[in-house]
Amino acid sequence: MMIKKIKKWNKKYAINVAKNEGIKMQSKHWNIIYFARNFYLKFNMSPPIRILLIAINKKSQKKINSFSLIKLFPKNPSMQISKIAGIPKPNKCL
């Protein structure tokens, strides 16, 4: 199985991708993007939304759910998070 290499990524890259997606990055967005990137770097796979929500809610006092993600990433949370984070989309991403 061939593993896709992570794209050359930096904050400017993420802001440009987010802008193309119609998203103005705020701290809530960055928390999710950094989590997704770190997860990918550690496990060599993009985090499924369910795992992402569980892990973020363990660390944060302000709980989020799938509806919160849709508000932050309205077109398709899995796809938009992956694009902005510069990582491959999750395997079970629609």
Side-chain angles (χ1 to χ4, degrees), residues 57-74:
N57 284 333
K58 280 185 179 181
K59 291 183 177 184
S60 177
Q61 291 187 358
K62 291 186 178 180
K63 304 299 179 202
I64 63 170
N65 57 34
S66 55
F67 295 113
S68 304
L69 282 182
I70 291 169
K71 286 181 182 178
L72 294 170
F73 304 96

Side-chain angles (χ1 to χ4, degrees), residues 10-53:
N10 58 42
K11 199 168 181 177
K12 186 176 179 180
Y13 170 88
I15 291 169
N16 286 333
V17 173
K19 185 177 179 181
N20 290 336
E21 292 290 315
I23 297 170
K24 185 177 182 204
M25 296 295 284
Q26 299 174 355
S27 63
K28 291 178 186 180
H29 295 94
W30 287 116
N31 290 339
I32 292 165
I33 296 305
Y34 285 126
F35 174 84
R37 282 191 58 78
N38 290 333
F39 186 96
Y40 180 79
L41 292 170
K42 185 173 182 179
F43 298 107
N44 216 15
M45 67 179 270
S46 298
I49 292 297
R50 187 172 183 201
I51 291 173
L52 186 135
L53 288 170

Side-chain angles (χ1 to χ4, degrees), residues 83-94:
K83 273 186 182 181
I84 296 166
I87 60 176
K89 67 179 182 172
N91 290 334
K92 294 184 179 183
C93 184
L94 300 175

